[in-house]
Amino acid sequence: RQTLRHDAKGAAKVIDALRHLLRKEKGETCIRRELGYFRNNRHHMDAANAANKVLVTTRMKRSGQSWGRDGGQGVLRIRALCKSNRFDRVWKDLVPRFNRQGDWAPTSPANDNSAIRVALAA
């Protein structure tokens, strides 16, 4: 798990390790099945690593930036919405909620992302 999460070539390393196990444990069905899974889904794993780099690393680790957990999470939610072309849909759902309250600002603290979570779930 650590290799897949933290190593840019994690999927390739897991595939190599499974190949080694398969040679060692000849004909082991479960190893063969897992090796097939990693080979077939490697592009998804590589894309997830690339998305992490684009969404998180470049935004959150800029020079001079300092984020608390809640503030950073809020920025990442908005950034993910923008990058996935879903911001307009979520914004359309949020505006009527704020209008019903008679104000354009949410009543929750600025670092509370519950309105965005609710809009995404809809």
Side-chain angles (χ1 to χ4, degrees):
R1 187 183 319 183
Q2 293 297 319
T3 301
L4 285 173
R5 282 187 181 172
H6 302 291
D7 192 325
K9 297 180 182 181
K13 288 182 178 182
V14 170
I15 289 170
D16 289 343
L18 288 170
R19 276 192 208 133
H20 175 73
L21 279 174
L22 190 59
R23 282 191 300 269
K24 193 175 173 183
E25 306 287 331
K26 299 261 188 241
E28 191 63 42
T29 307
C30 64
I31 296 172
R32 190 176 308 281
R33 183 184 66 232
E34 295 305 317
L35 180 57
Y37 173 83
F38 277 93
R39 283 180 174 158
N40 292 335
N41 293 290
R42 181 181 186 165
H43 63 281
H44 294 297
M45 295 172 203
D46 292 339
N49 284 336
N52 179 50
K53 184 176 181 181
V54 169
L55 286 173
V56 179
T57 306
T58 57
R59 181 64 178 103
M60 303 306 285
K61 294 184 178 180
R62 288 184 178 163
S63 178
Q65 302 267 327
S66 175
W67 299 95
R69 182 179 173 96
D70 291 335
Q73 184 64 45
V75 168
L76 289 177
R77 284 182 194 274
I78 297 297
R79 187 160 171 77
L81 290 171
C82 290
K83 291 289 186 181
S84 64
N85 296 318
R86 295 182 300 160
F87 181 82
D88 290 336
R89 179 179 65 87
V90 171
W91 183 253
K92 203 181 295 186
D93 292 340
L94 288 175
V95 170
R97 241 185 247 173
F98 297 145
N99 282 337
R100 280 194 300 270
Q101 294 174 2
D103 193 356
W104 277 90
T107 57
S108 58
N111 63 357
D112 180 7
N113 299 304
S114 60
I116 293 172
R117 279 193 298 275
V118 171
L120 281 173

